Amino acid sequence: MGLAAGGVAGAAFGAVFGWLASWFAMGPGAWQGVCESAPWFAAVGALGGFLIGLERPEKAGQTRG
């Protein structure tokens, strides 16, 4: 679950970041900024979600006994 949530959150952040970077830098079009940054942030977010899931197994329905 953390993997999917991290990927979705990372993609959303990457889309906003790419759009803002294109807007403020007067650089390439906003769509190009979104397309270039969203996949990278999705991958990093998914990795982060996966690692957090490993660190906190009780959140995934497992209990420490």
Side-chain angles (χ1 to χ4, degrees), residues 4-40:
V8 169
F13 177 81
V16 171
F17 180 82
W19 184 82
L20 287 174
S22 293
W23 178 267
F24 286 112
M26 302 279 199
W31 183 245
Q32 182 179 353
V34 169
C35 290
E36 290 179 357
S37 62
W40 291 104

